[in-house]
Amino acid sequence: MNEFANKFSLEGKIALITGASYGIGFAIATAYAKAGATIVFNDIKQELVDKGLAAYKEEGIEAHGYVCDVTDEDQVNAFIAQVEKEVGVIDILVNNAGIIKRIPMCEMKASEFRQVIDVDLNAPFIVSKAVIPSMIKKGHGKIINICSMMSELGRETVSAYAAAKGGLKMLTRNIASEYGEFNIQCNGIGPGYIATPQTAPLREIQPDGSRHPFDQFIIAKTPAARWGDATDLQGPAVFLASEASDFVNGHVLYVDGGILAYIGKQPQ
Ligand code: NAP
Ligand code: GCO
């Protein structure tokens, strides 16, 4: 590979992608492996970790999978210590694990709100805190937080998720501010609407065979006139994990087909 292309290589790097048995995390992890990284991932249940390991193997990737609930600080600290012992110090962290609850705010229980905040905002804080000390010792690190359209926009029924993802944008900026001097870059990726299990309910074919109203809405709101695929995120994710982005810090890179730039197509 020529010297310039090497800037995008992840050869020799260890990447932890949280919640990456499938979905966006899995797509990012496979791209990192293709760029040369060693892949570490976690999920809440052993059966999902096993499924993930098999899926990576099918891609020719010998991943390292661990059971860990990212909202549990003791579990996370033990997980990171085990990875550092068994695999090595983490060079790249992708805080990908996330949930959403689509409930009208006034019908949402406080416990449900807290659960979303716990996974989508508290967990990236916990996991980042666990990996930063070793990144400082190593002299470099990359942290990539998976934000969202809802880091910038609201919509009905996603109050907890928007609050969490808005907070995650600011946590991204703060980690960048606090640890930039240690050659740690922290950036976000803001995916648009991506076809994964998380958005499957928004794309369900209706009883009359028509597309879900929300599906039609997103197509009209997206200049690219399509849902994103998780593979659309791979190039931006590799860029933000590589030395090609060493002077990019505190930025959220929206990979949304143009949604945030577009007022939306006029209904025909
Ligand atoms: P997904 O298909 O629902 O996958 C989420 C992953 O996170 C699953 O592997 C899940 O594991 C894991 N997870 C959830 N809670 C966890 C916890 N406490 N500890 C460890 N792992 C946990 O979601 P996705 O669509 O791939 O989304 C991945 C990330 O992108 C999320 O942060 C999401 O908010 C964000 N995002 C998605 C879209 C989109 O359109 N899909 C757009 C913008 C941002 P289990 O299966 O065990 O629950
Ligand atoms: C929703 C969707 C979105 C996407 C994504 C958009 O219900 O509006 O789930 O939140 O998951 O976050 O960027």
Side-chain angles (χ1 to χ4, degrees):
M1 196 188 295
N2 69 45
E3 199 185 324
F4 178 75
N6 265 322
K7 280 183 172 296
F8 296 84
S9 167
L10 304 182
E11 279 300 335
K13 303 290 188 198
I14 295 170
L16 164 60
I17 304 91
T18 63
S21 297
Y22 56 88
I24 286 174
F26 181 82
I28 290 175
T30 52
Y32 283 5
K34 287 175 184 153
T38 297
I39 301 306
V40 178
F41 75 102
N42 71 296
D43 216 307
I44 306 176
K45 299 186 273 289
Q46 187 61 52
E47 63 189 284
L48 274 168
V49 170
D50 294 343
K51 255 177 80 177
L53 286 168
Y56 285 113
K57 213 168 178 69
E58 264 178 45
E59 298 286 328
I61 300 166
E62 288 302 324
H64 301 263
Y66 296 83
V67 177
C68 177
D69 175 348
V70 291
T71 65
D72 182 318
E73 189 164 24
D74 292 340
Q75 276 191 43
V76 167
N77 290 335
F79 164 43
I80 298 303
Q82 191 179 0
V83 170
E84 291 187 354
K85 199 162 122 248
E86 295 175 356
V87 187
V89 169
I90 290 157
D91 301 290
I92 302 159
L93 165 65
V94 179
N95 284 307
N96 166 77
I99 62 171
I100 191 167
K101 289 183 183 298
R102 301 182 181 96
I103 305 167
M105 195 181 97
C106 291
E107 294 166 31
M108 184 178 248
K109 298 189 190 81
S111 58
E112 292 169 319
F113 188 93
R114 275 195 291 269
Q115 196 188 351
V116 175
I117 298 289
D118 223 11
V119 181
D120 295 4
L121 181 56
N122 292 344
F125 161 76
I126 289 169
V127 183
S128 300
K129 196 158 79 89
V131 303
I132 283 172
S134 296
M135 287 181 170
I136 292 174
K137 282 198 202 101
K138 207 168 181 182
H140 66 254
K142 295 281 187 182
I143 297 174
I144 294 145
N145 295 321
I146 306 299
C147 297
S148 161
M149 294 287 94
M150 275 61 216
S151 297
E152 301 294 342
L153 304 168
R155 84 173 183 87
E156 301 77 7
T157 76
V158 296
S159 59
Y161 184 83
K165 292 298 187 180
L168 186 56
K169 174 175 76 174
M170 285 315 302
L171 178 63
T172 299
R173 290 181 178 166
N174 214 77
I175 293 171
S177 307
E178 198 163 351
Y179 295 101
E181 66 179 285
F182 301 104
N183 191 28
I184 293 172
Q185 291 84 47
C186 181
N187 292 287
I189 288 178
Y193 279 80
I194 312 293
T196 71
Q198 191 242 50
T199 55
L202 306 175
R203 291 176 283 109
E204 267 165 15
I205 297 299
Q206 303 301 285
D208 65 2
S210 64
R211 298 177 76 144
H212 191 295
F214 195 88
D215 178 357
Q216 298 175 48
F217 167 68
I218 288 302
I219 299 297
K221 274 290 286 178
T222 310
R226 68 174 174 88
W227 282 73
D229 183 88
T231 55
D232 288 315
L233 302 168
Q234 291 181 320
V238 168
F239 165 65
L240 288 177
S242 73
E243 66 176 72
S245 62
D246 279 0
F247 204 53
V248 179
N249 207 11
H251 182 75
V252 178
L253 177 54
Y254 287 98
V255 186
D256 65 356
I259 293 178
L260 285 178
Y262 187 38
I263 194 170
K265 191 174 286 303
Q266 178 185 337
Q268 301 306 320

